[in-house]
Amino acid sequence: MRTRSVIFLLILLNLAAVAVNICYGSIHIPLDELLEERWHFIVWESRMPAAITALLTGSALASCGLLLQSYFRNPLAGPSILGITNGANLMVALVTLGGLRWSITWGSSFEMKSVVVIAAFIGSFLVLALLLFLGRIVRSQVTLLIIGILLSYLSSALITLLGYYASAQGFQQLMLWGMGDFSSVSITELPGFVLLIDIGLLASLLLIKPLNGWMQGEKYAMNLGIDLRKTRLMVLGVTGLLTAVTTAWCGPIAFVGLSMPHVARMLLKTDDHGKLMPVTILLGGLCCSLCLWLSTRPDGGTLLPINALTPLFGVPVIVYVLLKK
């Protein structure tokens, strides 16, 4: 009953957070006036896509964090630990810092923003493809974790090198993208974004039983009939998909995936993924929704960077976990 109560409360809080993000901002829109024509552009073209993007991005990253922490049995594992996020960063750096500006003809020309999204996808899935290949060879999850960390450092080094030779304008563009932004998904892009995130979240729910067995040890999991190789590839695939999608559209959002699984454990006092996964997903959505609302608080329409706000929620949780353990 405790878990159901927590889930019900979090659902209500998430719905309330979405409503608040739509109604409140630099311009306040009364709830009973949302459907009026004069607010159409602000509500449907700006605030509604941003509110849904924040909700789904937080859910996706929190889910990735729980999957990785459980799989690697490491409380400090997060979505960026495998280097997938920095793989996306590297490709975006090649586009923005390298001054590559081209149009792709596929019925119509893509804008620069579309090129950045495509570049982030390519970078994410190149790293993912390498990890999936190594996952067939390397049997130790610790070794695979170390490889991911090394790939992340390598990508960061290449980004630093590109930044050293980049123009001031190109460097500024990359810096702004790296700060995180939930308003970058337009109303026309939203259906594709929602579909990809929903596929990843559904797949993460299918991993509940294998991860519960995995946490008891490899031999125990094998006795339950769990295919360890399939579980490993599925964990990498799901985290790769969700990290690639969120990073491509919103930039590298920090701390959400690392901290929200720990908050779920504190609330539920259990390691059962059947309870942890839905609560973690809802907590991630709520966290990013709150960050979106806080980012729009300053007067004059100025938006604060999302990555300047996520540490306010993430850092205290991680410090608590480190001190407790």
Side-chain angles (χ1 to χ4, degrees):
M1 180 61 69
R2 176 183 174 84
T3 302
R4 292 182 180 179
S5 300
V6 171
I7 290 175
F8 180 71
L9 177 60
L10 287 174
I11 290 175
L12 292 180
L13 289 175
N14 273 278
L15 293 175
V18 171
V20 167
N21 278 323
I22 293 176
C23 292
Y24 291 91
S26 56
I27 300 175
H28 171 58
I29 303 175
L31 189 61
D32 58 351
E33 296 181 11
L34 286 180
L35 298 180
E36 292 187 7
E37 184 64 28
R38 59 176 174 157
W39 304 119
H40 181 273
F41 180 83
I42 295 177
V43 171
W44 298 104
E45 299 290 334
S46 177
R47 292 188 183 176
M48 191 271 290
I52 294 177
T53 299
L55 181 71
L56 291 180
T57 298
S59 299
L61 293 176
S63 172
C64 289
L66 180 59
L67 290 176
L68 292 173
Q69 288 170 15
S70 299
Y71 180 75
F72 291 111
R73 301 189 184 97
N74 187 331
L76 296 181
S80 61
I81 198 68
L82 293 176
I84 299 171
T85 299
N86 270 350
N89 291 350
L90 176 59
M91 291 304 294
V92 172
L94 287 172
V95 172
T96 56
L97 299 185
L100 302 177
R101 301 183 183 275
W102 66 87
S103 62
I104 303 173
T105 303
W106 189 281
S108 62
S109 296
F110 284 96
E111 297 179 354
M112 183 62 184
K113 176 184 171 183
S114 301
V115 176
V116 170
V117 172
I118 293 170
F121 269 113
I122 293 173
S124 298
F125 280 103
L126 282 176
V127 176
L128 174 62
L130 178 59
L131 289 171
L132 289 174
F133 172 75
L134 294 175
R136 296 176 177 272
I137 302 172
V138 178
R139 302 197 59 83
S140 169
Q141 67 269 23
V142 177
T143 302
L144 196 60
L145 178 65
I146 293 172
I147 291 173
I149 294 173
L150 293 176
L151 288 174
S152 183
Y153 276 116
L154 178 61
S155 299
S156 296
L158 293 174
I159 292 171
T160 301
L161 185 62
L162 287 170
Y164 182 79
Y165 291 104
S167 64
Q169 182 182 3
F171 186 77
Q172 183 183 23
Q173 287 178 350
L174 184 68
M175 288 294 293
L176 291 174
W177 180 81
M179 291 178 183
D181 182 14
F182 294 138
S183 63
S184 58
V185 180
S186 66
I187 189 65
T188 56
E189 297 169 335
L190 190 61
F193 181 83
V194 171
L195 177 62
L196 291 172
I197 295 294
D198 285 347
I199 291 173
L201 291 177
L202 178 61
S204 68
L205 293 174
L206 296 176
L207 282 165
I208 288 175
K209 182 179 178 181
L211 284 178
N212 277 340
W214 177 263
M215 292 294 290
Q216 302 300 319
E218 293 188 23
K219 292 183 178 180
Y220 183 85
M222 292 176 64
N223 290 334
L224 291 177
I226 296 173
D227 189 332
L228 299 184
R229 175 177 291 184
K230 182 180 178 181
T231 299
R232 174 184 298 184
L233 295 178
M234 195 168 175
V235 168
L236 293 178
V238 172
T239 54
L241 172 64
L242 292 177
T243 305
V245 173
T246 55
T247 304
W249 264 287
C250 306
I253 306 298
F255 283 105
V256 178
L258 187 60
S259 61
M260 289 304 106
H262 293 296
V263 178
R265 292 187 186 97
M266 284 185 252
L267 286 174
L268 302 178
K269 308 295 183 184
T270 181
D271 288 323
D272 181 5
H273 288 74
K275 299 176 181 179
L276 280 178
M277 184 61 76
V279 172
T280 299
I281 289 173
L282 291 170
L283 282 170
L286 181 61
C287 176
C288 283
S289 294
L290 289 175
C291 289
L292 174 61
W293 178 72
L294 290 173
S295 73
T296 60
R297 289 301 83 209
D299 296 331
T302 304
L303 296 177
L304 292 176
I306 298 299
N307 278 333
L309 299 171
T310 52
L312 298 178
F313 298 92
V315 170
V317 174
I318 301 306
V319 171
Y320 172 81
V321 171
L322 290 173
L323 292 177
K324 184 179 179 181
K325 292 182 178 297

Coordinates of all heavy atoms in Angstrom, one line a residue, residues 28 39 53 55 108 129 153 211 219 225 232 263-264 270 305:
H28 N 1.9 35.3 -16.9 CA 1.0 34.3 -16.2 C -0.3 34.2 -17.1 O -0.9 35.1 -17.5 CB 0.6 34.9 -14.8 CG -0.5 34.1 -14.2 ND1 -0.4 32.8 -13.9 CD2 -1.7 34.5 -13.7 CE1 -1.5 32.4 -13.3 NE2 -2.3 33.4 -13.2
W39 N -3.8 33.1 -26.3 CA -2.7 32.4 -25.7 C -2.3 31.2 -26.5 O -1.4 30.4 -26.0 CB -3.1 31.9 -24.3 CG -3.6 33.0 -23.4 CD1 -4.8 33.1 -22.8 CD2 -2.8 34.1 -22.9 NE1 -4.9 34.2 -22.0 CE2 -3.7 34.8 -22.0 CE3 -1.5 34.6 -23.1 CZ2 -3.3 36.0 -21.4 CZ3 -1.1 35.8 -22.5 CH2 -2.0 36.5 -21.7
T53 N 8.5 17.8 -22.6 CA 9.9 17.5 -22.8 C 10.6 17.3 -21.5 O 11.4 16.3 -21.3 CB 10.6 18.5 -23.7 OG1 10.0 18.6 -25.0 CG2 12.1 18.2 -23.9
L55 N 9.3 16.6 -18.6 CA 8.7 15.5 -17.9 C 9.4 14.2 -18.4 O 9.8 13.3 -17.6 CB 7.2 15.4 -18.1 CG 6.5 14.3 -17.4 CD1 6.5 14.5 -15.9 CD2 5.0 14.2 -17.9
S108 N 13.1 18.5 -48.3 CA 13.4 19.9 -47.9 C 14.7 20.0 -47.1 O 15.2 19.0 -46.7 CB 12.2 20.5 -47.0 OG 12.1 19.7 -45.8
A129 N 27.2 1.4 -30.3 CA 27.5 0.3 -31.2 C 28.8 -0.4 -30.7 O 29.0 -1.6 -30.7 CB 27.6 0.7 -32.6
Y153 N 36.2 10.1 -21.2 CA 37.4 11.0 -21.1 C 38.0 11.3 -22.5 O 38.4 12.4 -22.7 CB 38.4 10.3 -20.2 CG 38.2 10.6 -18.7 CD1 37.9 9.5 -17.9 CD2 38.2 11.8 -18.2 CE1 37.7 9.7 -16.5 CE2 38.0 12.1 -16.8 CZ 37.7 11.0 -16.0 OH 37.5 11.2 -14.7
L211 N 16.6 -7.8 -13.7 CA 17.4 -7.0 -12.8 C 17.3 -7.5 -11.4 O 18.2 -7.5 -10.6 CB 17.1 -5.5 -13.0 CG 17.7 -4.8 -14.2 CD1 17.3 -3.4 -14.2 CD2 19.2 -5.0 -14.3
K219 N 24.8 -16.4 -10.6 CA 24.4 -17.8 -10.5 C 22.9 -17.9 -10.2 O 22.2 -18.7 -10.8 CB 25.2 -18.6 -9.5 CG 26.7 -18.8 -9.9 CD 27.4 -19.6 -8.8 CE 28.9 -19.8 -9.3 NZ 29.6 -20.6 -8.3
G225 N 16.6 -18.8 -14.9 CA 16.4 -18.9 -16.4 C 16.6 -17.6 -17.1 O 16.2 -17.4 -18.2
R232 N 22.3 -8.0 -20.6 CA 23.3 -7.0 -20.7 C 23.1 -6.2 -21.9 O 23.2 -4.9 -21.9 CB 24.7 -7.7 -20.8 CG 25.8 -6.8 -21.1 CD 27.1 -7.5 -21.3 NE 27.5 -8.2 -20.1 CZ 28.7 -8.9 -19.9 NH1 29.5 -8.9 -20.9 NH2 29.0 -9.5 -18.8
V263 N 16.8 8.6 -4.4 CA 15.7 9.2 -3.7 C 14.6 8.1 -3.6 O 13.9 8.0 -2.6 CB 15.2 10.4 -4.4 CG1 13.9 11.0 -3.8 CG2 16.3 11.5 -4.5
A264 N 14.4 7.3 -4.7 CA 13.4 6.3 -4.7 C 13.7 5.2 -3.6 O 12.8 4.8 -2.9 CB 13.3 5.6 -6.1
T270 N 13.5 -0.3 -0.3 CA 13.5 -1.6 -0.9 C 14.4 -1.6 -2.1 O 14.8 -0.5 -2.7 CB 12.1 -2.0 -1.4 OG1 12.1 -3.3 -2.0 CG2 11.5 -1.0 -2.4
P305 N 20.0 28.3 -17.2 CA 20.4 27.0 -17.7 C 19.9 25.9 -16.8 O 20.0 26.0 -15.6 CB 22.0 27.1 -17.7 CG 22.3 28.6 -17.7 CD 21.2 29.2 -16.9

